[in-house]
């Protein structure tokens, strides 16, 4: 027992997550996997079957769900009980150097593409609050940036993601913005300890699981394919 591995923490390239989660479960350990859990929706279903077979759990990092501002927003939307369609604009500009494109991250088949690699946390947060994704329209797509429209159950989301520093205002190092019906959702602070909180929740058996991750995996898969 003193040599038994209880948890395997997986921080490998995205395309290896499925195989490494399987390795952990087969080794009689729980798996803790960074985003995205897997690249394809059917991989998540297969892992759920393996969870049931082995009796071990697959946990994933969905850190924005633990952000106080995002939790407050979900409570506000849930308590409103409105059936209206909210209008959301998501913009995230985070410059990357040439290394990004030379690494596995620049290979769509290994990373899942820009929406999966840098956008999956935002799409998880939005599907968590506003419901599963339906129709997805890609308006613009190239190596360093993409944008489009995703229809959620209770919101229409216009999104733009970019790795190109030329999209920033002079002096900015990064830009992150989400507006709800034209009003900015403020969550620029409070990210520092979210990974620590995520791991504490897992060790208490309350971490996020495969079913939690599936809506955002389905959303970015539709965007990226």
């Amino acid at each position: 027992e003193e040599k038994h591995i209880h948890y395997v923490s997986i921080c490998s390239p995205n395309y290896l997550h499925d195989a490494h989660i399987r390795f952990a479960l087969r080794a009689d350990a729980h798996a803790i996997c960074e985003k995205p859990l897997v690249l394809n929706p059917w991989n998540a279903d297969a892992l759920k079957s393996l969870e049931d077979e082995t009796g071990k759990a697959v946990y994933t990092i969905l850190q924005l769900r633990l952000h106080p501002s995002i939790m407050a927003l979900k409570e506000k939307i849930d308590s409103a009980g409105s059936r209206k369609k909210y209008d959301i604009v998501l913009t995230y500009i985070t410059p990357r150097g040439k290394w990004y494109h030379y690494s596995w991250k620049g290979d769509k088949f290994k990373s899942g593409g820009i929406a999966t690699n840098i956008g999956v946390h935002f799409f998880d947060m939005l599907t968590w609050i506003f419901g599963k994704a339906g129709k997805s329209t890609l308006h613009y797509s190239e190596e360093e940036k993409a944008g489009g429209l995703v229809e959620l159950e209770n919101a229409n989301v216009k999104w733009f993601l970019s790795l190109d520093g030329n999209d920033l205002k002079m002096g900015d190092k990064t830009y992150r913005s989400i507006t709800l019906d034209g009003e900015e959702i403020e969550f620029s602070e409070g990210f520092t300890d979210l990974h620590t909180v995520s791991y504490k929740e897992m060790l208490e058996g309350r971490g996020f699981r495969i079913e939690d991750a599936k809506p955002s995996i389905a959303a970015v898969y539709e965007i990226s394919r």
Side-chain angles (χ1 to χ4, degrees):
E1 174 60 26
E2 68 273 10
K3 295 182 179 180
H4 181 69
I5 295 173
H6 297 87
Y7 294 88
V8 175
S9 183
I10 299 164
C11 310
S12 53
N14 298 349
Y15 70 105
L16 296 174
H17 288 179
D18 181 72
H20 289 168
I21 292 169
R22 290 174 177 275
F23 165 79
L25 299 185
R26 295 292 189 195
D28 198 31
H30 302 299
I32 301 173
C33 189
E34 283 290 337
K35 61 84 181 171
L37 183 67
V38 287
L39 295 180
N40 305 304
W42 56 87
N43 293 136
D45 293 330
L47 287 178
K48 182 64 177 70
S49 297
L50 189 58
E51 253 193 344
D52 296 338
E53 177 187 326
T54 60
K56 294 299 176 180
V58 177
Y59 296 102
T60 189
I61 306 291
L62 304 176
Q63 65 205 52
L64 286 184
R65 298 192 187 196
L66 300 172
H67 192 291
S69 296
I70 303 304
M71 294 170 72
L73 176 62
K74 178 171 174 56
E75 184 176 345
K76 176 183 176 181
I77 297 299
D78 288 349
S79 61
S82 174
R83 294 188 176 183
K84 65 170 282 189
K85 280 269 190 177
Y86 295 91
D87 289 317
I88 296 171
V89 179
L90 162 65
T91 307
Y92 184 41
I93 305 169
T94 176
R96 297 290 187 269
K98 289 185 178 180
W99 62 268
Y100 185 96
H101 303 290
Y102 284 110
S103 74
W104 62 268
K105 295 185 178 187
D107 185 336
K108 180 179 179 180
F109 295 100
K110 293 182 177 180
S111 70
I114 189 171
T116 300
N117 201 47
I118 72 164
V120 69
H121 274 317
F122 297 108
F123 288 111
D124 171 72
M125 179 262 284
L126 293 172
T127 53
W128 181 50
I129 297 174
F130 298 100
K132 293 181 180 180
K135 183 181 178 182
S136 176
T137 305
L138 189 63
H139 294 152
Y140 180 82
S141 179
E142 62 176 49
E143 188 178 40
E144 289 199 325
K145 62 190 80 176
L149 174 68
V150 174
E151 297 180 18
L152 306 183
E153 290 175 287
N154 297 310
N156 294 315
V157 181
K158 293 180 181 178
W159 61 273
F160 176 72
L161 304 171
S162 175
L163 306 172
D164 185 357
N166 294 317
D167 292 326
L168 290 170
K169 294 179 181 179
M170 185 69 70
D172 286 348
K173 293 183 178 180
T174 188
Y175 180 76
R176 180 194 297 116
S177 171
I178 298 180
T179 63
L180 173 66
D181 289 344
E183 182 178 341
E184 188 77 24
I185 299 172
E186 178 54 49
F187 66 112
S188 56
E189 303 295 332
F191 283 86
T192 308
D193 297 323
L194 293 185
H195 262 73
T196 302
V197 175
S198 297
Y199 274 75
K200 285 180 177 178
E201 287 292 299
M202 290 175 200
L203 293 174
E204 294 293 332
R206 296 190 297 267
F208 298 115
R209 306 289 294 276
I210 293 173
E211 290 299 319
D212 297 309
K214 284 175 66 175
S216 58
I217 293 170
V220 295
Y221 173 78
E222 287 299 320
I223 290 170
S224 303
R225 66 179 183 148

